[in-house]
């Protein structure tokens, strides 16, 4: 079980851990003696905390710099204690530690009382989803092991925690340095009838009934190891909530595609009939559907996740550079990645006082606040209150994780970022003096953006090129744009290892808007476009029109393609079908092949 | 799910994240028990396949059984097996067994340096040809930008501060004081050109967990870990001249687990058989230099 230990600096976290390790016999022989010896040599008083100071530069600074993991075992289970530093500068380390914990120990110095980080950490731990919190009132030796002092602090801190909706499991009066109530009950505090720290650890519960919740599997990847002679197409991921059985129907969001589970795949285990929350797994499906990593696989009959582009969230920011509304960021939620913008700061928390304040224009380092975010592409997510594992996200700024948050509300439905962009673009569109009608008269055809899509290797490109050729021979103003041309030209600034699919799509759409405005029949072929891609291109090409041809497999769920070709066995025949359609729609008048 | 299931789940998740995000990914395989468990976890993650090249740094002083075992498993499991070496130091006899350097400098030459240059592609790589059943020079020389390593946090102090995804700059150095945060299951998978990332799927495993998992999965492990009748066995594997066996009666995985559980070994550091750790600065100095 993962336990995080937090608290204001110098309130005694490291000492508590040192004690736990020493008192459970979890230290390699000689470690304790070596530290005692080196203290003696340097004439410093021995500290249990030194046990943890494993690194040289850390000792130089005299503060714990990073989350460290310590391992120990009680009669009932294995523990990993994550030591989260108390210094404000190391907040991101504390978050890293706390976000993976199942329970938290929050240390407060009985003598010094509640300090800034006692509050901040309490708040963060709650926000990070740690539901079991035990408060250790430490250094009881400095207040004469007084019950009164303990009760007073307990009352004060309980009142604070109540404001942020946290109810601690227990309060334990301890003296880490003296070993009171750590592993053994203290005779100096007979008035305490609760457990010792060690006893409390064993009382924490694991597994948050996740497998009874609605089924959620964020798709991490799709594998096909054909080159190793394996034809299975496996949808892989770790189940975040719920249970699913072989043969059940499944739905993928946001794409809306459906299929059935044909098999549950695993290596070196007996055949599985069902899998549950926490398990990394893989499925083959009964039908060939094209889905992307980042979608959430759910059961159609379960309460559904939200799908949208705009949501309200609680967020903490630990980036060196403040979060601004002017910039685009990368959002990672479950296995989904999307481009995101900060649309609005509803309020922020004043760190020292923990009051809400309004009117901030950016999130500074260590700010905690409520904000509204907008993604460019729809994503599937849950509200954190319903399903926390699919309701939390991080934000990447300049290659680094710079913030994290939990989703409070889906606000989608209004104007999307793309719609707003297009509205603005059209407002500023600078037209020349040739009216569209004149262009059409001279060209003897109307403009059109033709998108041919389907799986790779189905002859889309050949078809597109031949279509261009045929239209050109018939006197049309037409142009075929290859994706390689884009990649090495207009898109050459988009780094290869970054999957800038959205930006590539946007540029293609903008280009189409210009080419169709110039009166052309503009043709391109793209692999595996989905509903969102087509809708985006359509919007971007507006006010001109788009014509969608799907080849081999139709992946569109909502939109109907204008034409579907099962396969391109005969190029001439396929071109004829497209040309017929263009005539029918009065784009071109007639043609000859 | 029990503790081992959870450890396995976390490691598999990390391996899949790494495979998804890094184009030039490799996994270090030292032949030891930890990286062999890691290799097994890759087979778990990828349903029996290992779609990631395995890199071994051959110091040519490894205990011979290790190399035999490596090649047998590479062929059996259809691994994309690569090795690299420091040819210049070996030819120039700049090693400890040759009597020309101390242990630490030898490690730096044969391991750290060889590793760095093999990963960067500056020095030749040799790849197992599954048809010829021997190694051939590898013409792929692209640098690996993601390197999966089987370190565990319980091994010694400095490793307990690692992240699952830990960036290194182009000089391979590690800034312990300024590491990116890792929230929940979100790791640092974006990296600036010129940097690379070390990935540590085994960080939360202990030595005992490793053996329990080997037992549960029946993972074939090199025989050096077991007492073959002389009352000694290796607890940690390295180069023959610098690695000593420990006294131990354990002949099977089960007996090793019992030995570890009995607490007989709690008091002996796991790498105590590794002579280079004991020299000035030891492992930590080596690690800053890019040693695993
Ligand atoms: N009197 C007394 N001092 C303590 C106790 N626990 C810790 N300390 C001292 O408080 C100081 C800070 O402790 P440390 O564990 O390093 O705090 P951390 O910053 O929270 O990890 C050290 O000098 C400890 O010796 C205690 O129970 N009683």
């Amino acid at each position: 079980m993962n336990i995080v230990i937090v608290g204001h600096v110098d309130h005694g976290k490291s000492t508590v851990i040192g004690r736990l390790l020493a008192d459970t016999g979890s230290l390699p022989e000689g470690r304790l003696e070596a530290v005692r010896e080196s203290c003696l040599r340097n004439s410093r008083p021995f500290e249990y905390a030194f046990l943890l100071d494993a690194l040289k530069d850390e000792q130089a600074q005299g503060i714990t710099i990073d989350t460290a993991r310590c391992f120990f075992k009680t009669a009932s289970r294995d523990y990993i204690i994550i030591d989260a530093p108390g210094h404000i500068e190391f907040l991101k380390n504390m978050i890293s530690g706390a976000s993976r914990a199942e329970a938290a120990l929050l240390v407060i110095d009985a003598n010094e009382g509640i300090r800034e980080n006692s509050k901040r950490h309490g708040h963060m731990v709650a926000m990070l989803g740690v539901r079991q919190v035990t408060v250790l009132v430490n250094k009881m030796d400095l207040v004469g092991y007084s019950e009164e002092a303990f009760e007073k602090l307990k009352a004060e801190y309980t009142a604070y925690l109540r404001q942020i909706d946290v109810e601690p499991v227990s309060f334990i009066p301890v003296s880490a340095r003296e070993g009171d109530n750590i592993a053994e009950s203290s005779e100096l505090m007979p008035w305490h009838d609760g457990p010792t720290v060690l006893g409390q650890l064993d009382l924490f519960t694991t597994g948050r009934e996740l497998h009874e919740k609605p089924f959620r599997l964020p798709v991490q990847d799709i594998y096909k190891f054909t080159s190793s002679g394996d034809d299975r197409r496996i949808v892989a991921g770790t189940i975040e909530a719920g249970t699913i059985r072989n043969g059940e129907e499944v739905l993928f969001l946001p794409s809306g595609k459906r299929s059935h589970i044909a098999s549950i795949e695993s290596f070196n285990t007996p055949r599985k009939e069902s899998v549950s929350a926490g398990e990394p797994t893989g499925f083959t499906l009964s039908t060939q559907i094209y889905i992307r990593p980042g979608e959430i696989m759910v059961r159609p009959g379960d309460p559904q996740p939200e799908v949208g582009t705009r949501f309200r969230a609680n967020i903490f920011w630990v980036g060196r550079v403040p979060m601004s509304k002017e910039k685009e960021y990368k959002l990672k939620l479950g296995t989904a990645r999307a481009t995101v913008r900060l649309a609005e700061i509803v309020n922020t928390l004043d760190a020292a006082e923990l009051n809400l304040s309004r009117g901030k224009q950016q999130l500074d380092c260590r700010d905690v606040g409520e904000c509204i975010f907008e993604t460019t592409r729809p994503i599937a997510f849950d509200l954190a209150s319903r399903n926390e594992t699919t309701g939390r996200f991080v934000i990447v700024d300049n290659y680094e994780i710079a913030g994290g948050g939990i989703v409070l509300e889906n606000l989608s439905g209004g104007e999307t970022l793309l719609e707003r962009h297009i509205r603005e673009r059209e407002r500023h569109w600078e037209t020349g003096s040739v009216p569209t009608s004149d262009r059409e008269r001279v060209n003897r055809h109307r403009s059109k953006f033709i998108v041919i899509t389907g799986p790779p290797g189905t002859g889309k490109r050949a078809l597109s090129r031949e279509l261009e050729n045929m239209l050109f021979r018939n006197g049309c103003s037409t142009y075929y744009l290859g994706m390689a041309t884009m990649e090495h030209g207009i898109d050459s600034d988009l780094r290869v290892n970054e999957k800038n699919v959205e930006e590539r799509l946007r540029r293609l759409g903008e280009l189409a808007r210009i080419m169709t405005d110039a009166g052309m029949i503009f043709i391109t072929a793209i692999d595996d476009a989905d509903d969102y891609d087509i809708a985006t291109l359509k919007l971007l090409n507006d006010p001109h029109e788009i014509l969608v041809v799907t080849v081999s497999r139709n992946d569109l769920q909502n939109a109907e393609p204008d034409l579907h070709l099962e396969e391109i066995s005969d190029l001439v025949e396929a071109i004829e079908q497209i040309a017929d359609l263009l005539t029918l729609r009065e784009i071109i008048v007639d043609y000859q092949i | 799910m029990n503790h081992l299931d959870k450890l396995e789940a976390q490691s598999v998740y990390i391996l899949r994240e790494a495979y998804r995000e890094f184009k030039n990914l490799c996994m270090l395989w030292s032949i030891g028990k930890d990286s062999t468990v890691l290799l097994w976890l890759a087979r778990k993650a990828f349903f029996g396949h290992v779609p990631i090249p395995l890199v071994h740094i051959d110091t040519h002083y490894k205990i011979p059984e290790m190399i035999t075992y490596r090649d047998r498993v590479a062929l059996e499991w259809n691994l994309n097996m690569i090795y690299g070496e420091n040819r210049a130091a070996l030819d120039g006899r700049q090693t400890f067994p040759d009597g020309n350097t101390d242990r630490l400098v030898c490690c730096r030459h044969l391991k750290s340096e060889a590793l760095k240059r093999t990963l960067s592609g500056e020095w030749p790589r040799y790849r197992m040809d599954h048809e010829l059943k021997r190694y051939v020079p590898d013409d792929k020389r692209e640098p690996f930008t993601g390197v999966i390593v089987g370190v565990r946090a319980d091994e010694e102090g400095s490793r307990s501060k690692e992240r699952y995804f830990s960036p290194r700059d182009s000089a391979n150095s590690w800034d312990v004081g300024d590491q990116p945060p890792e929230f929940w299951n979100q790791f640092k998978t974006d990296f600036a050109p010129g940097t690379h990332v070390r990935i540590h799927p085994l960080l939360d495993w202990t030595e005992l967990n490793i053996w329990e998992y080997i037992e549960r999965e029946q993972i074939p492990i090199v025989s050096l870990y077991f007492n073959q009748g002389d009352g000694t066995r290796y607890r940690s594997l390295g180069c023959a001249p610098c690695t000593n066996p420990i006294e131990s009666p354990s002949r099977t995985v089960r007996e090793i687990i019992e030995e570890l559980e009995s607490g007989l070994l709690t008091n002996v550091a796991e790498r105590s058989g590794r002579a280079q750790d004991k020299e000035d600065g030891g492992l930590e100095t080596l690690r800053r230099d890019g040693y695993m």
Side-chain angles (χ1 to χ4, degrees), chain B residues 168-270:
Chain B
R168 298 290 202 271
D169 63 20
S170 42
N172 251 317
S173 61
W174 177 39
D175 186 353
V176 198
D178 183 27
Q179 301 195 66
E182 291 183 332
F183 305 160
W184 305 304
N185 257 349
Q186 300 292 1
F187 308 106
K188 180 182 168 67
T189 49
D190 300 87
F191 62 104
T195 58
H196 72 270
V197 177
R198 294 265 166 88
I199 300 144
H200 304 126
L202 293 184
L203 218 48
D204 287 342
W205 295 60
T206 64
E207 187 185 6
L208 179 60
N209 298 149
I210 292 285
W211 284 111
E212 286 168 338
Y213 192 67
I214 290 171
E215 180 183 47
R216 178 178 104 177
E217 298 287 325
Q218 302 195 356
I219 305 171
I221 287 289
V222 63
S223 58
L224 295 163
Y225 281 109
F226 307 104
N227 162 26
Q228 318 264 8
D230 65 351
T232 70
R233 65 179 190 88
Y234 287 90
R235 189 171 174 203
S236 171
L237 295 181
C239 297
C242 294
T243 312
N244 295 313
I246 57 162
E247 272 176 37
S248 156
S250 302
R251 266 170 303 202
T252 60
V253 177
R254 180 89 296 254
E255 285 174 10
I256 291 178
I257 292 173
E258 280 162 14
E259 189 179 11
L260 286 169
E261 278 177 334
S262 74
L264 282 175
L265 293 176
T266 343
N267 299 328
V268 186
E270 184 180 349

Side-chain angles (χ1 to χ4, degrees), chain A residues 84-97:
Chain A
H87 268 262
I88 283 187
E89 299 84 83
F90 301 121
L91 190 65
K92 63 182 185 184
N93 298 326
M94 182 247 141
I95 293 166
S96 305

Side-chain angles (χ1 to χ4, degrees), chain B residues 45-77:
Chain B
F46 308 111
F47 305 95
H49 304 280
V50 185
I52 303 167
L54 293 162
V55 172
H56 176 74
I57 297 306
D58 198 339
T59 61
H60 296 276
Y61 286 107
K62 295 283 173 194
I63 309 169
E65 275 106 314
M66 292 170 69
I67 302 299
T68 321
Y69 166 85
R70 174 190 78 189
D71 295 344
R72 180 171 59 76
V73 172
L75 288 170
E76 240 167 60
W77 294 357

Side-chain angles (χ1 to χ4, degrees), chain A residues 1 25 27-29 52 54-58 64-69 71 73 78 80 90 92-93 95-96 99-100 102 127-128 206 219-221 223 225 228 230 232 234 236-238 240 265-269 277-282 293-294 316 318 320 330 332-335 337 392-394 396 399-401 403-406 495 497 499, chain B residues 1 3 5-10 12-23 40 43-49 51 78 153-154 156-164 167 174-193 203-206 208-209 212 216-218 261 266-269 281 284-285 288:
Chain A
M1 172 179 255
L27 293 167
E29 188 179 279
L52 306 179
L55 284 184
K56 290 176 186 167
D57 50 352
E58 180 192 314
T64 324
I65 37 176
D66 203 337
T67 42
R69 295 173 185 75
F71 298 79
K73 222 180 158 128
D78 288 351
I80 299 173
F90 301 121
K92 63 182 185 184
N93 298 326
I95 293 166
S96 305
S99 76
R100 257 186 296 274
E102 284 159 289
M127 220 179 111
L128 288 160
T206 51
V219 176
Q220 200 173 1
D221 221 331
Y223 299 130
F225 301 108
S228 309
D230 187 343
R232 290 175 296 176
I234 303 176
T238 298
E240 292 290 359
E265 297 293 332
S266 60
F267 171 73
N268 201 40
T269 69
E279 290 186 60
T281 186
F316 44 83
V318 290
R320 255 166 276 180
K330 176 168 165 183
K332 292 169 79 178
L333 188 154
T335 56
R337 282 94 168 96
R392 57 200 185 189
F393 59 89
V394 298
V396 178
Y399 311 113
E400 298 260 315
I401 293 180
I406 55 175
R495 274 175 299 262
N497 59 9
K499 294 154 197 129
Chain B
M1 291 170 80
H3 192 63
D5 293 331
K6 285 185 193 163
L7 288 171
E8 179 191 74
Q10 175 76 343
V12 164
Y13 183 83
I14 291 170
L15 285 167
R16 287 177 178 169
E17 278 299 274
Y19 183 61
R20 174 180 174 190
E21 297 283 352
F22 292 89
K23 216 174 94 218
W40 189 265
R43 301 180 84 199
K44 285 268 177 187
F46 308 111
F47 305 95
H49 304 280
N78 193 26
D154 77 327
E156 43 81 49
S158 67
R159 292 184 175 185
S160 76
K161 311 257 159 169
E162 283 280 13
R163 294 274 157 88
Y164 299 106
W174 177 39
D175 186 353
V176 198
D178 183 27
Q179 301 195 66
E182 291 183 332
F183 305 160
W184 305 304
N185 257 349
Q186 300 292 1
F187 308 106
K188 180 182 168 67
T189 49
D190 300 87
F191 62 104
L203 218 48
D204 287 342
W205 295 60
T206 64
L208 179 60
N209 298 149
E212 286 168 338
R216 178 178 104 177
E217 298 287 325
Q218 302 195 356
E261 278 177 334
T266 343
N267 299 328
V268 186
E284 195 186 314
T285 312
R288 282 181 192 281

Side-chain angles (χ1 to χ4, degrees), chain A residues 415-455:
Chain A
E415 188 179 48
T416 64
L417 279 175
L418 183 66
E419 284 161 351
R420 193 179 328 147
H421 163 74
I422 287 165
R423 185 159 55 81
E424 280 298 300
R425 182 192 71 183
E426 291 304 310
R427 200 157 67 81
H428 294 287
W429 195 269
E430 200 182 329
T431 42
S433 45
V434 182
T436 307
S437 53
D438 285 3
R439 268 187 227 282
E440 288 175 354
R441 214 181 42 245
V442 171
N443 285 343
R444 296 185 53 248
H445 65 81
R446 284 164 49 205
S447 70
K448 196 82 175 175
F449 177 26
I450 302 182
V451 177
I452 302 184
T453 185

